[in-house]
Amino acid sequence: MPSSAMVFPRYAWLLAIAVPISGSDEAAWKRLWETKRCFELAEARPQGLYEGLAAAVFHDEAKAVDVLEWVIRQRPQSADALLAHNQLLYLHQRAGRMGKALAHLRAMASSPALKRGSLGGAAALFEAFAGLPDLRVTNARKVSSTFERDDEGLWIPIQVGGKSTKAFLDTGANFSMISRQLAQSLGVPLVGGRVESETTTTQKAVMQLAALPALDVAGLRVENNAALVLDDEAQPFSGWPIERRLVLGLPVILSLGAWTFSNNGSLRIDPSPAPLAEKPNLCFSGATPLLEGMYQGKRLLFAFDTGAGRLDLWVNFYRAFRAQVDREGKRRTVTVGGVGGNQEFPGKRLPRVQIHVSGVPVLFADVDVLTRHSIADSRLLDGRAGRDVFNAAAAFTIDFRRMQVSLSR
């Protein structure tokens, strides 16, 4: 006979409300949450707040909304409610629902549990998009297309403003981005004034905001896409043709579901609903996708960024494998790039590293290891995985419905 959880998957969490939660269990779940060990948290089968948080980071929208809004109703002025609002904000931001995200931001701003000034420039950004309707795909269906792959990255055929071009696919971009010159040529209206945002290298970038007209992405129509407008001299646009200075960020990528790339240049996109994978290897930290990998039997967690070309390893990795890195690595200065520009940090270079992704061994050559904290989240993650994860794959799929990256040889 099936369990209640199988019969009522959306509301299964309600069955646990009456079951007492021990302090030791909650403390363990809290440690896993605070150290971003999302896969271990889900495997621990948490209850209450932490079940909702686990659902949020795996983008299980129905469960996350049910549980976290229940937490907010029960203790509206508590630190737990603040954390619930924060994760619901990110859930809606990732899906391109800026109005709903703003409602949670405003609730956070009024919370007595909020540390003064901790919202930074987020308020100005979200307020500027207050009137933007939810991002939507109006003709969702499976499509086949092509893509281009070069040293810069993955390029997807699109139409914007009736003009055909190719856009850069970047899972590391919280929002889509467009250069000022391209926005002007397409007649894209700007919204609000300039805002300042922190980049992955902790530098500040000044930008404006825009609501992009409908995008035709490989035959799929995406409407109401919030975008950041950057100067044409800024990274990553400075070396690109003007007509290609457009980045498809996480909300568009997520809304279109599963992207399957083959090394013959073919692309398939499937936006139809699908259940979470039995063993997902993607989760979220806010608006940043995290990818699980394995190295020498140890579980690793990487920021997953198709806008980056190479695998970078950070201080967490260095501490875990310091003897090997010191023995095999050559000292060097590592340049780290982001929207705000480049920064240099001390590090070492390993000649080769083999990491298993989705059960497939992937060999990386000349891998930089940072030996000092320098990048946002570098204290909790093992590194950043870029496009070279896919170099030896005959095909690979990025699937934000099932929260899974898969490789085939």
Side-chain angles (χ1 to χ4, degrees):
M1 179 176 178
S3 69
S4 298
M6 293 173 67
V7 176
F8 304 108
R10 178 173 178 181
Y11 299 104
W13 68 274
L14 287 166
L15 303 177
I17 292 296
V19 178
I21 299 173
S22 73
S24 59
D25 284 342
E26 190 155 17
W29 301 334
K30 183 178 181 181
R31 283 194 299 273
L32 292 173
W33 170 257
E34 291 178 344
T35 53
K36 297 188 186 295
R37 290 153 67 186
C38 49
F39 299 97
E40 292 165 76
L41 178 62
E43 290 163 3
R45 297 184 179 276
Q47 298 173 16
L49 169 68
Y50 292 98
E51 183 177 13
L53 297 178
V57 298
F58 286 98
H59 207 76
D60 183 345
E61 293 195 59
K63 180 185 284 188
V65 170
D66 282 344
V67 179
L68 295 179
E69 288 189 348
W70 178 85
V71 170
I72 292 166
R73 289 193 300 272
Q74 297 301 306
R75 304 182 293 277
Q77 301 302 310
S78 67
D80 285 356
L82 179 64
L83 185 53
H85 280 300
N86 177 258
Q87 290 306 304
L88 290 171
L89 181 155
Y90 280 122
L91 185 82
H92 292 305
Q93 177 195 336
R94 295 192 300 258
R97 295 187 289 263
M98 299 302 291
K100 292 183 175 65
L102 176 61
H104 288 287
L105 185 72
R106 288 172 174 167
M108 290 173 64
S110 65
S111 171
L114 182 72
K115 293 181 180 179
R116 185 178 298 274
S118 60
L119 292 180
L125 188 153
F126 282 88
E127 289 286 355
F129 284 129
L132 183 66
D134 293 349
L135 183 149
R136 62 175 186 162
V137 180
T138 59
N139 58 342
R141 66 192 192 284
K142 296 179 184 180
V143 297
S144 296
S145 185
T146 60
F147 74 102
E148 180 182 311
R149 184 175 183 175
D150 61 17
D151 291 341
E152 292 285 349
L154 303 171
W155 298 90
I156 310 301
I158 69 164
Q159 284 194 335
V160 55
K163 298 182 180 180
S164 296
T165 185
K166 291 186 178 178
F168 187 78
L169 192 81
D170 189 354
T171 59
N174 296 352
F175 293 93
S176 294
M177 298 184 290
I178 189 170
S179 80
R180 188 173 304 280
Q181 191 170 347
L182 180 58
Q184 290 173 346
S185 71
L186 294 173
V188 174
L190 303 185
V191 295
R194 289 178 173 257
V195 297
E196 187 178 77
S197 178
E198 188 172 278
T199 71
T200 55
T201 56
T202 70
Q203 294 179 306
K204 301 292 184 180
V206 177
M207 56 197 72
Q208 282 187 276
L209 310 174
L212 293 183
L215 303 177
D216 183 306
V217 182
L220 296 168
R221 186 179 178 87
V222 181
E223 297 180 347
N224 309 322
N225 183 23
L228 308 180
V229 181
L230 277 62
D231 291 336
D232 286 74
E233 297 76 22
Q235 288 194 33
F237 294 139
S238 58
W240 296 358
I242 292 173
E243 69 277 5
R244 286 196 179 194
R245 293 177 182 174
L246 175 62
V247 171
L248 298 182
L250 182 64
V252 172
I253 301 170
L254 186 149
S255 72
L256 295 179
W259 302 65
T260 299
F261 303 83
S262 299
N263 60 8
N264 63 2
S266 66
L267 167 66
R268 288 182 287 113
I269 303 176
D270 183 1
S272 58
L276 184 69
E278 182 177 345
K279 292 185 178 180
N281 59 6
L282 286 173
C283 67
F284 283 109
S285 172
T288 301
L290 305 182
L291 175 66
E292 182 185 50
M294 295 289 293
Y295 181 70
Q296 296 185 5
K298 177 178 171 57
R299 202 173 210 164
L300 303 181
L301 199 57
F302 302 99
F304 176 53
D305 183 0
T306 60
R310 296 170 50 84
L311 174 75
D312 294 318
L313 298 173
W314 295 345
V315 179
N316 274 8
F317 181 92
Y318 179 58
R319 287 177 175 167
F321 303 98
R322 183 166 186 164
Q324 177 193 355
V325 176
D326 287 345
R327 182 179 65 252
E328 300 177 8
K330 293 184 178 180
R331 191 179 303 275
R332 63 182 265 107
T333 298
V334 180
T335 300
V336 179
V339 170
N342 293 333
Q343 285 185 287
E344 294 185 338
F345 304 101
K348 296 190 175 184
R349 173 164 285 185
L350 290 173
R352 63 187 60 82
V353 175
Q354 182 172 275
I355 294 173
H356 284 73
V357 177
S358 188
V360 177
V362 182
L363 184 63
F364 302 89
D366 297 328
V367 179
D368 290 328
V369 183
L370 297 181
T371 56
R372 179 168 65 81
H373 288 301
S374 53
I375 299 173
D377 276 342
S378 68
R379 288 171 172 78
L380 298 172
L381 304 180
D382 295 288
R384 178 178 60 184
R387 295 182 304 277
D388 56 351
V389 167
F390 310 126
N391 281 350
F396 59 92
T397 298
I398 303 168
D399 190 344
F400 284 113
R401 307 163 312 164
R402 297 177 55 78
M403 294 300 292
Q404 194 170 52
V405 165
S406 56
L407 312 179
S408 59
R409 293 288 176 85

